[in-house]
Amino acid sequence: MNSYLLIIYGVVIIAALAIIGFIRFIFSQDKGDEKMQQISDSIKEGAMAFLNRQYKTITVLALIVAVIIIIANYYGHQSEGVGSAISYAWHVGLAFISGALCSAISGYIGMYMAVNSNVRAASGARKGLNKALQIALRGGAVTGLAVTALSLFGVATLFFAYGGASGQQELVKNAPSLIVGFGFGASFVALFAQLGGGIYTKAADVGADLVGKVEAGIPEDDPRNPAVIADLVGDNVGDCAGRGADLFESTAAENIGAMILGVGLYPVFGLKGILFPLVARAIGIIASIIGIVFVNTKDESKDPMIALNKGYFVTTIINIIVLFFAVKVMLSGHLSNGDSVNYLLLYGAAVAGILLSYVFVFLTNYYTSMSTRPVQEIAKASTTGAATNIITGISVGMESPALPVLFISAAIIIAYRLGELALPNIATAGFYGTAIATMGMLSTTAYILAMDTFGPITDNAGGITEMSEAPESVRVVTDRLDACGNTTKALTKGYAVGSAALATFLLFSAYLDEVKKILGKPIDSWFAVDIGKPEVFIGAFIGAMIVYLFSSTAIRAVGKAAQYVILEVRRQFKENPGIMEGTSKPDYAKTVDIVTKGALKEMVIPGLIVVVAPILVGILLGKESAAAFLMVGTISGVIMALFLNNGGGAWDNAKKFIELGNYGGKKSDAHKAGVVGDTVGDPFKDTAGPSLHVLIKLISTITLVFASLFR
Amino acid sequence: MNSYLLIIYGVVIIAALAIIGFIRFIFSQDKGDEKMQQISDSIKEGAMAFLNRQYKTITVLALIVAVIIIIANYYGHQSEGVGSAISYAWHVGLAFISGALCSAISGYIGMYMAVNSNVRAASGARKGLNKALQIALRGGAVTGLAVTALSLFGVATLFFAYGGASGQQELVKNAPSLIVGFGFGASFVALFAQLGGGIYTKAADVGADLVGKVEAGIPEDDPRNPAVIADLVGDNVGDCAGRGADLFESTAAENIGAMILGVGLYPVFGLKGILFPLVARAIGIIASIIGIVFVNTKDESKDPMIALNKGYFVTTIINIIVLFFAVKVMLSGHLSNGDSVNYLLLYGAAVAGILLSYVFVFLTNYYTSMSTRPVQEIAKASTTGAATNIITGISVGMESPALPVLFISAAIIIAYRLGELALPNIATAGFYGTAIATMGMLSTTAYILAMDTFGPITDNAGGITEMSEAPESVRVVTDRLDACGNTTKALTKGYAVGSAALATFLLFSAYLDEVKKILGKPIDSWFAVDIGKPEVFIGAFIGAMIVYLFSSTAIRAVGKAAQYVILEVRRQFKENPGIMEGTSKPDYAKTVDIVTKGALKEMVIPGLIVVVAPILVGILLGKESAAAFLMVGTISGVIMALFLNNGGGAWDNAKKFIELGNYGGKKSDAHKAGVVGDTVGDPFKDTAGPSLHVLIKLISTITLVFASLFR
């Protein structure tokens, strides 16, 4: 055991050192001229003000939930004796608070790095593409590494603290169940972070566009627009803080789920089967660091995307190689009949997961890239007006889940069968196969997250360059990086949904294992979720419905919050005519303040729906219904997220395709139609879609934590 | 038995007499002036031409499927001996052809009556509201009665022909399974009728609007628009022929499903339990005839909706009363322990079904009526442009499934529990409870269908009045009826989804009964569909995905077919400038021809997806996966249909609300945004949404027919 402990904590320390190195690299860069710094400071101020206020709201909500968890778990485990119930309740409650705290810290780091890297990337753009690229990617890398290392550290430490290192079989096998609270705490904070941030960013964006571009006729990022700073702040709070918390909870929830399944294989693998997910994560972190360092573009004329893809490729190859040895060493053992486990089959499952992530990135690219059929179809439909643009965009979005679903299905069944073949006659062997595939897919998380956070940093760098009236040549550099950032953002969304979908089966089976434990059934027995029973069918029905209701409220929240922005901007234009003439500065802070309040107010209802619904279903309809809610809610959520993300991405790029001069170019009727589509797609792809990723995992962790209360 | 035979065929004869009476009433009415007749003849010609050509395409497809069914069922039942397999295959094949034929006849009747009633309603409007109302409703009533009576006649006759009257228990119990082909034949034709009709009507509508209203700036229904006749034809082929076939298959599929469940209760109720669904349908037909005769509005100033609602109320009350006696007489019997069945509990299930239909009509009204929050919210959002109109509309649409799903869930669980309580210790008792609830809900089908077909008749009457340049006073009458028709169309869509949703559980359990029979398990055993198995989970995943893919292709088909219309109209305007000057007539027939070809071409792909997917899932993944595909596909389909129907209806009425003078009225910017929303909603609510109703039932009947082939 000691050697794995060493590996895990060793990697955490290496990651910490890499983070310090990247931070020192970034802070040693030039901060740009005074104008750039002024703008950057405004963004920083607004972003931090939002985060502080958001965390206050989340803290209150989290404390209420923590109390409920402790009480619920006390009652749910009362039958095991008062002492045991108290101990259980406190362990889960403490794990929840730790998870929530770590998730919040992840969001904070993402934001802090983004607001400090943006101005340096803008300044670096004056020295050339490579400089700016490296600053932006390493800024993102800090977030990626911090989030994954923190998740690894948190889960590992809780596991050992809760008895994982005790050497007593019963304590060790019980530990993963006690840390599910960590996953739930992480998802809980991530949901509100992603929702609040997503509402903020799109409310500011839509509001700024509708009054600025449409009503006042001024260009994007024009300093005369009172909402322009709010818009730039939005990129950080939505894409950085939100996504940071989102992927933190992904890695945490899926690690914990895989560890619970590892308990079922204790007779074969012992502690190694439980620790494998953590070691796989550790390998992924090292591979990502190497991948990130690899990225540079010596030839300034090349598409920076090529450099980023090279880094991704390096990370993947290292993972594929090192995971082989990890599987060989950790997942070998003897079956009850004395045969050795065929570890090659389990390695196959890991490779299937890695391949699936590539397929997802490829398919997302097909549906959202400018050069492919779907986007071009939307651009063409724009020539007959906004209505046909919208109809085509929705049609493209609704088509887009088809292939991803077929590939996920194939990956699940392959991984499941490989698990069954490797570990015959063990009921949960197939599920463990899918867990290994998920670990394979998630092994590149740190790199993906770095690419993802790269997006808003370059977006902000572009904004700062524009607002500080830097020379055209600098803007060309930031524009190229920004285009590249848009692509990486779309691709990482595809990756996030794909991993959520693959993890479904893993989290679902972890829930079933919990249920079996509560019912006192042996862990290697089978627990059927029979959708032919009316209450189970209804659980499934409600699960699918909640996804629509949640999306509806999330999308509506953007509309409402944007309304606040529009009214404020109109008021400023009216009361201070000097703004439009350029003689007086608009009150940016006031707009920032208004979006902040609006977004925080509007995030509460959709958030509560997701938290309350699964608990109610479980309490009223029972454990089996909750399982059906979980599965069909996930199915429905994955498909809806693909529809919203890909539809939104396709609309965005259809508009950009027209702006390149096609179908009449900018200011043509086709362009106007394209703008309508892009605006409709904004809350799809940046608010509801990403929040659904969190929803999918939240309903898993919440049912895990409250399972003991269900009928 | 003889007495029930008498009741069923007696009601069929009464319905036939009522139909003859209504037809004589309509054909005795004045056909209007020459101009009206000319327009009406053009519509008639176009509609009949479309139907004839559509039926040719469907015949080819149906014959191919018939051959496949016969071969598949021969192979599937080979293990029972060659003689038995041949007999089985031919019975199912013949039933399929009969079902397809009856469904086609239903569509034909609906269309024939609509194109003959519209001009008479227009002419009647010159004599006042009451006259026009009665003509339009009785025209619709012919369709409603013909469809329901034909379904009753077809199912009953096949049942008796296939051994239901033989008195031999084995033959009687086997008969319902042999007639599932009838349901599949009906759904198969209905799918293509609804798809083809739905694509036609919206392609013509969108095409006519985009070139006529937007490009050429001429009003709706202007005779100078070459697509205007195609648009009026579309109302008939989509709303009449399509909906007629749709509701024919609803009643057929759900009757057959309920009869299969009745077989499981043979020891308690004997033949009566199998015949109850048919008798309930017969009662509903009589109640509907009385309700229809009741409708008249002596006070011409009153909203005609009040008169229609009164008729609906009368129909419902008669059903509630008479069903009580039917349940009392037919569903009493003795349990194996000698206790009598508590028939009051079963009656309770029927009442729950009837109440659910009221709730659905009420909720649909809430989401689509002009005076309520959702529509007003969309209208208000139109003031900030098309993008906010669309965002709000989608948000409203996505919210709208929430309450209906909760009410369906409640109805299912209540009916199920009542069934279990009334028939303790019988495995399928609960399912039979939901079957009774479905029969209760469907008892008003004939009346609902009359109201539904009333819509396109008044719509056409309005168009004829407009085009024949009738005096303003006549147009006021047809406008009032048209507004009323829009409401009834929305409400009946709500009813159709509601009944489809309630029937899910019934059809699903009928499928499980079939599977048990094929596996040689006793019919009162339990067959679990365990969604925790990977192949079952994947079946569910694909089921949910197919709904999106189908909706995508259906929506896209409208866009493509509309493109053909746009090009043709532009061509005519360009080549013949006399059209716009009013000096020469446009070539209406050419446009009709082009939409016909376009719609028929575009209906094939979405249709094939639905037919092929469940068979493939069953063959590749097995019977349990097909069951999960069925259930989750249905769940997903119901929710998507509610989203599309209600979203589309709300956009439509938001535009109308603005047109009444709100937010600047016609030609304001808000109105332009409202038109975009309405156009987007058109393929939602008139193509994809209604086709999804058929899809839901088709995947049930198709899995029933092919069950023996599945792994």
Side-chain angles (χ1 to χ4, degrees):
Chain A
M1 191 218 86
N2 273 335
S3 58
Y4 300 117
L5 192 69
L6 269 177
I7 292 176
I8 292 168
Y9 284 106
V11 167
V12 171
I13 291 168
I14 293 173
L17 293 175
I19 290 170
I20 293 171
F22 289 144
I23 290 180
R24 285 177 61 141
F25 168 80
I26 289 162
F27 279 92
S28 70
Q29 303 296 321
D30 179 54
K31 279 171 74 179
D33 58 32
E34 203 186 328
K35 215 161 179 183
M36 283 183 170
Q37 288 185 35
Q38 247 180 27
I39 299 160
S40 156
D41 286 344
S42 302
I43 298 174
K44 211 179 290 181
E45 209 177 286
M48 287 304 165
F50 173 77
L51 212 60
N52 290 336
R53 229 187 292 174
Q54 189 186 36
Y55 280 175
K56 264 186 215 153
T57 311
I58 295 179
T59 305
V60 173
L61 292 170
L63 285 178
I64 296 171
V65 172
V67 172
I68 294 173
I69 287 176
I70 291 172
I71 295 172
N73 273 284
Y74 173 76
Y75 277 102
H77 291 270
Q78 234 178 349
S79 59
E80 298 152 29
V82 174
S84 166
I86 290 180
S87 154
Y88 203 98
W90 279 112
H91 276 88
V92 176
L94 186 66
F96 174 81
I97 292 169
S98 322
L101 203 67
C102 287
S103 187
I105 293 173
S106 298
Y108 190 87
I109 294 174
M111 175 82 102
Y112 182 78
M113 284 317 297
V115 294
N116 281 299
S117 308
N118 54 15
V119 67
R120 292 175 171 86
S123 170
R126 296 186 296 191
K127 292 177 199 146
L129 186 70
N130 196 27
K131 194 85 202 165
L133 172 69
Q134 287 201 346
I135 294 172
L137 183 66
R138 292 184 180 190
V142 172
T143 309
L145 291 174
V147 162
T148 41
L150 200 56
S151 150
L152 179 61
F153 175 77
V155 175
T157 305
L158 271 183
F159 175 69
F160 293 123
Y162 284 4
S166 65
Q168 296 174 43
Q169 227 195 85
E170 275 322 297
L171 276 179
V172 172
K173 284 165 79 171
N174 209 27
S177 302
L178 290 172
I179 55 178
V180 292
F182 187 83
F184 177 46
S187 341
F188 186 82
V189 170
L191 181 74
F192 286 100
Q194 183 70 66
L195 257 178
I199 295 168
Y200 186 109
T201 178
K202 288 304 121 176
D205 189 4
V206 171
D209 279 5
L210 282 179
V211 204
K213 277 201 230 173
V214 182
E215 285 185 23
I218 53 178
E220 195 165 336
D221 290 342
D222 189 295
R224 285 172 295 174
N225 193 333
V228 70
I229 293 289
D231 190 7
L232 291 169
V233 169
D235 293 334
N236 294 296
V237 302
D239 291 340
C240 297
R243 198 62 46 80
D246 173 3
L247 282 175
F248 175 81
E249 71 97 6
S250 284
T251 55
E254 287 152 20
N255 266 353
I256 295 168
M259 289 167 82
I260 291 179
L261 289 175
V263 172
L265 294 168
Y266 198 86
V268 182
F269 298 130
L271 188 60
K272 287 182 297 176
I274 304 176
L275 286 182
F276 175 75
L278 298 179
V279 173
R281 180 60 29 85
I283 294 167
I285 290 177
I286 298 296
S288 299
I289 294 176
I290 298 172
I292 289 159
V293 176
F294 244 82
V295 176
N296 67 67
T297 172
K298 273 167 201 145
D299 181 353
E300 300 258 321
S301 65
K302 267 207 213 150
D303 184 353
M305 203 59 220
I306 296 172
L308 290 177
N309 279 335
K310 200 177 70 182
Y312 182 34
F313 186 72
V314 168
T315 307
T316 309
I317 291 293
I318 296 174
N319 268 312
I320 289 185
I321 295 168
V322 183
L323 271 178
F324 172 80
F325 296 103
V327 171
K328 186 175 172 179
V329 173
M330 298 186 77
L331 300 183
S332 56
H334 291 282
L335 300 167
S336 55
N337 65 2
D339 286 356
S340 314
V341 174
N342 186 345
Y343 67 87
L344 278 176
L345 296 170
L346 297 175
Y347 177 62
V351 173
I354 295 177
L355 290 181
L356 184 66
S357 69
Y358 259 84
V359 170
F360 255 78
V361 167
F362 175 79
L363 289 175
T364 311
N365 192 46
Y366 174 71
Y367 276 104
T368 56
S369 134
M370 250 183 246
S371 53
T372 51
R373 195 258 313 157
V375 172
Q376 304 235 335
E377 216 174 73
I378 298 175
K380 195 182 161 200
S382 307
T383 56
T384 39
T388 40
N389 166 292
I390 299 290
I391 290 175
T392 313
I394 286 180
S395 165
V396 162
M398 284 185 169
E399 178 198 306
S400 72
L403 289 175
V405 166
L406 292 181
F407 279 102
I408 297 169
S409 299
I412 287 178
I413 211 128
I414 289 170
Y416 193 94
R417 291 277 171 265
L418 288 173
E420 277 185 337
L421 285 173
L423 302 158
N425 299 321
I426 296 176
T428 54
F431 288 126
Y432 197 67
T434 65
I436 295 173
T438 310
M439 291 307 117
M441 184 157 187
L442 285 176
S443 61
T444 49
T445 303
Y447 188 86
I448 291 280
L449 193 51
M451 281 223 291
D452 189 49
T453 316
F454 167 85
I457 293 176
T458 56
D459 198 349
N460 260 251
I464 292 172
T465 315
E466 178 82 27
M467 285 187 69
S468 67
E469 287 150 11
E472 185 64 25
S473 63
V474 181
R475 277 192 237 175
V476 169
V477 171
T478 57
D479 276 358
R480 280 177 65 194
L481 281 180
D482 193 14
C484 176
N486 277 329
T487 310
T488 60
K489 271 198 282 182
L491 299 185
T492 50
K493 258 178 234 160
Y495 175 85
V497 195
S499 65
L502 189 59
T504 313
F505 215 57
L506 149 69
L507 291 170
F508 170 72
S509 44
Y511 169 75
L512 294 186
D513 275 6
E514 272 304 295
V515 168
K516 280 181 265 179
K517 232 177 73 182
I518 291 164
L519 295 176
K521 288 174 132 199
I523 200 129
D524 61 345
S525 65
W526 188 266
F527 181 84
V529 179
D530 181 4
I531 202 172
K533 294 183 191 160
E535 67 276 11
V536 179
F537 174 72
I538 287 170
F541 211 167
I542 295 175
M545 175 271 273
I546 285 294
V547 167
Y548 278 75
L549 185 60
F550 174 79
S551 305
S552 164
T553 48
I555 291 170
R556 172 168 305 154
V558 173
K560 279 194 192 164
Q563 214 65 41
Y564 305 141
V565 179
I566 292 172
L567 294 177
E568 169 62 18
V569 173
R570 280 190 190 150
R571 187 192 64 78
Q572 289 201 25
F573 277 153
K574 202 175 152 196
E575 292 179 7
N576 186 353
I579 295 175
M580 276 302 283
E581 292 155 16
T583 53
S584 78
K585 262 182 78 173
D587 188 353
Y588 300 129
K590 176 86 187 155
T591 324
V592 169
D593 192 56
I594 279 175
V595 205
T596 302
K597 278 187 197 152
L600 293 181
K601 191 178 143 203
E602 302 297 341
M603 80 179 181
V604 175
I605 288 180
L608 285 185
I609 288 172
V610 183
V611 175
V612 172
I615 300 180
L616 273 187
V617 167
I619 290 177
L620 295 177
L621 299 170
K623 295 183 173 67
E624 220 177 319
S625 301
F629 176 96
L630 183 55
M631 288 224 106
V632 177
T634 304
I635 286 175
S636 190
V638 167
I639 297 176
M640 177 70 92
L642 285 165
F643 160 55
L644 296 174
N645 288 344
N646 291 337
W651 267 315
D652 188 354
N653 272 333
K655 186 197 71 173
K656 291 205 175 103
F657 182 73
I658 297 171
E659 283 174 353
L660 289 178
N662 299 293
Y663 300 116
K666 273 191 182 179
K667 298 200 174 160
S668 66
D669 281 345
H671 185 240
K672 275 182 203 148
V675 170
V676 172
D678 181 38
T679 311
V680 170
D682 269 347
F684 280 30
K685 72 177 198 305
D686 290 321
T687 311
S691 302
L692 279 171
H693 309 167
V694 188
L695 176 144
I696 292 166
K697 280 157 290 174
L698 181 82
I699 57 177
S700 296
T701 51
I702 206 169
T703 41
L704 271 171
V705 167
F706 286 95
S708 63
L709 263 198
F710 296 168
R711 261 210 312 150
Chain B
M1 190 219 85
N2 273 334
S3 57
Y4 299 117
L5 193 68
L6 269 177
I7 291 176
I8 292 168
Y9 283 108
V11 167
V12 170
I13 292 168
I14 292 173
L17 293 175
I19 290 170
I20 295 171
F22 289 144
I23 290 181
R24 286 177 60 139
F25 168 80
I26 289 163
F27 279 91
S28 70
Q29 303 296 321
D30 180 53
K31 279 173 73 180
D33 57 32
E34 204 185 324
K35 214 161 181 182
M36 282 182 170
Q37 287 184 35
Q38 251 181 25
I39 300 161
S40 156
D41 286 345
S42 302
I43 297 175
K44 212 180 287 179
E45 211 176 284
M48 287 304 166
F50 173 78
L51 212 60
N52 290 335
R53 228 187 291 174
Q54 188 186 36
Y55 280 175
K56 264 185 216 155
T57 311
I58 295 178
T59 304
V60 173
L61 292 170
L63 285 178
I64 297 170
V65 173
V67 172
I68 295 174
I69 287 176
I70 291 171
I71 295 172
N73 273 283
Y74 173 75
Y75 277 101
H77 292 270
Q78 235 177 347
S79 59
E80 299 151 29
V82 174
S84 166
I86 291 179
S87 154
Y88 202 98
W90 280 111
H91 276 88
V92 176
L94 187 66
F96 173 81
I97 293 169
S98 322
L101 204 66
C102 287
S103 186
I105 294 173
S106 297
Y108 191 87
I109 293 174
M111 175 83 102
Y112 182 78
M113 284 317 297
V115 293
N116 281 299
S117 308
N118 55 14
V119 67
R120 291 176 172 86
S123 170
R126 297 186 297 191
K127 291 178 199 146
L129 185 72
N130 196 27
K131 193 87 203 164
L133 173 69
Q134 287 201 347
I135 295 172
L137 184 65
R138 290 181 181 192
V142 172
T143 309
L145 290 174
V147 162
T148 42
L150 200 57
S151 151
L152 180 60
F153 175 77
V155 174
T157 304
L158 271 183
F159 176 69
F160 292 124
Y162 283 4
S166 66
Q168 295 173 45
Q169 227 195 83
E170 275 322 297
L171 277 179
V172 172
K173 284 166 79 171
N174 209 25
S177 302
L178 290 172
I179 54 177
V180 292
F182 188 83
F184 178 44
S187 343
F188 186 81
V189 170
L191 180 74
F192 286 101
Q194 182 70 67
L195 258 178
I199 296 168
Y200 186 109
T201 178
K202 288 303 120 178
D205 189 4
V206 171
D209 280 4
L210 282 180
V211 204
K213 276 201 231 172
V214 181
E215 286 184 23
I218 53 179
E220 194 163 339
D221 289 341
D222 190 296
R224 286 173 293 175
N225 192 333
V228 69
I229 294 288
D231 189 6
L232 290 170
V233 168
D235 293 334
N236 295 297
V237 302
D239 291 340
C240 298
R243 197 64 44 82
D246 173 4
L247 282 175
F248 174 82
E249 71 96 5
S250 283
T251 55
E254 286 152 21
N255 266 352
I256 295 167
M259 289 167 81
I260 291 179
L261 288 178
V263 172
L265 294 168
Y266 198 85
V268 182
F269 298 130
L271 189 58
K272 288 181 298 175
I274 304 176
L275 286 181
F276 175 75
L278 298 178
V279 173
R281 180 59 31 82
I283 293 167
I285 290 177
I286 299 295
S288 299
I289 295 176
I290 298 173
I292 289 159
V293 176
F294 243 82
V295 175
N296 68 65
T297 171
K298 273 169 201 144
D299 182 352
E300 299 259 322
S301 65
K302 266 206 215 152
D303 184 354
M305 205 57 221
I306 295 171
L308 291 175
N309 279 336
K310 200 176 69 183
Y312 182 35
F313 186 72
V314 169
T315 308
T316 309
I317 291 293
I318 295 173
N319 267 314
I320 288 186
I321 295 168
V322 183
L323 270 178
F324 173 79
F325 295 103
V327 171
K328 185 175 175 180
V329 172
M330 298 186 76
L331 301 184
S332 55
H334 291 282
L335 300 168
S336 55
N337 64 3
D339 285 357
S340 314
V341 174
N342 186 345
Y343 67 87
L344 278 177
L345 294 171
L346 297 176
Y347 178 63
V351 174
I354 296 176
L355 290 182
L356 184 66
S357 68
Y358 259 85
V359 170
F360 255 78
V361 167
F362 175 80
L363 289 175
T364 312
N365 192 47
Y366 173 71
Y367 276 104
T368 56
S369 136
M370 249 182 249
S371 53
T372 51
R373 195 257 314 157
V375 173
Q376 304 237 335
E377 214 173 73
I378 298 175
K380 196 181 162 203
S382 307
T383 56
T384 38
T388 39
N389 167 294
I390 299 290
I391 290 176
T392 313
I394 286 180
S395 164
V396 163
M398 284 186 169
E399 178 197 307
S400 72
L403 288 174
V405 167
L406 292 181
F407 278 103
I408 297 169
S409 298
I412 287 179
I413 211 129
I414 288 170
Y416 194 94
R417 290 278 172 264
L418 288 173
E420 277 186 337
L421 284 173
L423 302 157
N425 299 321
I426 297 175
T428 56
F431 289 125
Y432 198 69
T434 66
I436 295 173
T438 310
M439 292 306 117
M441 183 156 187
L442 285 175
S443 60
T444 48
T445 303
Y447 188 86
I448 291 281
L449 194 49
M451 280 223 291
D452 189 47
T453 317
F454 167 85
I457 294 175
T458 55
D459 198 349
N460 261 252
I464 293 172
T465 316
E466 177 82 26
M467 285 186 69
S468 66
E469 287 151 11
E472 184 65 26
S473 63
V474 181
R475 277 192 235 175
V476 169
V477 171
T478 56
D479 276 359
R480 280 178 62 194
L481 281 180
D482 193 15
C484 175
N486 277 330
T487 310
T488 61
K489 272 197 282 182
L491 299 186
T492 52
K493 255 176 236 159
Y495 176 85
V497 195
S499 65
L502 189 58
T504 314
F505 214 57
L506 149 70
L507 291 169
F508 171 72
S509 44
Y511 169 75
L512 293 187
D513 275 6
E514 273 304 294
V515 168
K516 279 181 267 178
K517 232 177 72 183
I518 292 164
L519 295 177
K521 288 175 133 197
I523 198 130
D524 61 346
S525 64
W526 187 266
F527 182 84
V529 179
D530 181 4
I531 202 171
K533 295 181 190 160
E535 67 274 14
V536 180
F537 174 71
I538 287 170
F541 211 166
I542 295 175
M545 175 270 274
I546 284 294
V547 167
Y548 278 75
L549 185 60
F550 174 80
S551 305
S552 164
T553 50
I555 291 170
R556 173 170 305 156
V558 172
K560 280 193 191 166
Q563 214 64 41
Y564 304 142
V565 179
I566 292 172
L567 294 175
E568 169 61 18
V569 173
R570 280 190 191 151
R571 187 192 63 79
Q572 289 201 25
F573 277 153
K574 200 175 154 197
E575 292 179 6
N576 187 353
I579 295 175
M580 276 301 284
E581 290 155 17
T583 54
S584 78
K585 262 182 77 174
D587 187 352
Y588 299 130
K590 179 84 188 156
T591 323
V592 168
D593 194 55
I594 279 174
V595 205
T596 302
K597 277 186 199 155
L600 293 181
K601 193 178 141 204
E602 302 297 341
M603 80 180 180
V604 176
I605 287 180
L608 286 185
I609 289 172
V610 182
V611 175
V612 171
I615 300 180
L616 272 188
V617 167
I619 290 176
L620 295 177
L621 298 172
K623 294 184 174 69
E624 219 177 319
S625 301
F629 176 96
L630 184 56
M631 288 223 106
V632 177
T634 304
I635 285 175
S636 189
V638 167
I639 296 176
M640 177 71 92
L642 286 165
F643 160 54
L644 296 173
N645 289 344
N646 292 337
W651 267 315
D652 189 353
N653 273 332
K655 184 197 73 174
K656 291 205 175 105
F657 181 72
I658 297 171
E659 283 174 353
L660 290 178
N662 300 294
Y663 300 116
K666 273 192 182 178
K667 299 198 174 164
S668 65
D669 281 344
H671 185 239
K672 273 182 204 150
V675 170
V676 171
D678 181 38
T679 311
V680 170
D682 269 346
F684 279 30
K685 73 177 197 302
D686 290 321
T687 311
S691 301
L692 279 172
H693 310 167
V694 189
L695 175 145
I696 292 166
K697 279 159 291 175
L698 182 83
I699 56 176
S700 297
T701 53
I702 206 168
T703 41
L704 271 170
V705 167
F706 286 94
S708 63
L709 264 199
F710 296 168
R711 261 209 314 151

